[in-house]
Amino acid sequence: MEKTLHEIAVLIGAQLEGDPAVTVSNIAGIDKAQPGDLTFVANPKYSRFIATTQASAVICTPDTVAPGKNLLKVDNPYLAFAKIMTFLYPQRRETGMVDPRAIIGNNVSMGNKVTVYPLVYIGDDCVLEDEVTIYPGCCIGDRVRIGAQSLIYPNVTIREDCVIGKRVIIHPGAVIGGDGYGYVQHEGAHYKIPQIGRVVIEDDVEIGCNTTIDRATTGETRIGKGTK
């Protein structure tokens, strides 16, 4: 996606020093960048590379001085970099369809534009709010609720009664709501304590690959809003 420096400056609220008509279509590290690339300097120790970079423009702090270079000056270059990455490389649009090869339980409620890929299992009495996406190989237990715009990557297990908030991202292989380590020792043996609690994941949480978050013995294990 090709954009002018003027368009980029408006997007990130930057002060532009240089040619507003110059276009960029890619982002690269400051030492690897070529013409047509946009780069950034967030750490002052890399400022020395600004003079020699081949990048078409550099995102930098307001105190940066580099004659002859196109500069996009912002207070937080790393945040501006993240915004531009989202802009130049938008997330793919999902189908908004439930594949017939998915297994859907009874009394499952789905909002608008929900995407369910093949080989997904969804148990009874679940709620999937608007624009939820569930990738192949996921297992969603009974009575699970998943909030709007949440993204569940392949091979995730969410066990019964768990609650997933809005805009949550769960990466491949994670297990939400498995039993905690609850045992009582008696006469040299372990007696299992039923784990009747649940997991509640609040809004805007991101959970990495192969993470396990166990349910509480009673009550809930809660992951607060915005946790990464």
Side-chain angles (χ1 to χ4, degrees), residues 30-90:
I30 194 165
D31 56 337
K32 304 292 186 183
Q34 298 297 315
D37 291 342
L38 180 65
T39 193
F40 77 104
V41 174
N43 191 322
K45 72 178 183 179
Y46 295 110
S47 296
R48 67 184 189 276
F49 292 112
I50 294 177
T52 57
T53 185
Q54 298 299 304
S56 292
V58 180
I59 305 168
C60 56
T61 54
D63 58 351
T64 302
V65 177
K69 295 292 185 179
N70 295 313
L71 304 179
L72 292 157
K73 295 187 173 183
V74 293
D75 291 331
N76 189 336
Y78 205 25
L79 176 61
F81 166 75
K83 289 180 178 180
I84 293 169
M85 287 284 285
T86 302
F87 182 62
L88 291 179
Y89 304 98

Side-chain angles (χ1 to χ4, degrees), residues 90-95 113-117 128-136 138 140 145-158 164-174 176 201-202 204-208:
Q91 186 176 346
R92 60 172 287 178
R93 298 183 67 85
E94 297 297 341
T95 63
K113 298 182 181 178
V114 169
T115 300
V116 179
Y117 277 83
L128 278 58
E129 296 182 0
D130 295 348
E131 299 181 44
V132 166
T133 297
I134 303 178
Y135 279 96
C138 291
I140 311 299
R145 185 180 191 97
I146 302 178
Q149 299 179 1
S150 288
L151 180 57
I152 314 299
Y153 278 111
N155 301 319
V156 168
T157 297
I158 303 175
I164 309 298
K166 302 179 188 300
R167 299 174 300 280
V168 171
I169 301 173
I170 305 180
H171 288 279
I176 311 300
I201 309 293
E202 295 185 2
D204 300 303
V205 170
E206 185 162 358
I207 298 169

Side-chain angles (χ1 to χ4, degrees), residues 211-222:
T211 300
T212 60
I213 302 175
D214 291 345
R215 65 179 57 242
T217 301
T218 61
E220 61 190 32
T221 301
R222 181 174 289 268

Side-chain angles (χ1 to χ4, degrees), residues 2 12 20 22 26 28 34 45 65 90 119-120 161 168 177 180 203 209 214 227-228:
E2 189 173 83
I12 63 176
V22 168
N26 188 37
Q34 298 297 315
K45 72 178 183 179
V65 177
L119 307 181
V120 169
D161 298 309
V168 171
D203 298 344
C209 296
D214 291 345
T227 299
K228 310 300 181 187

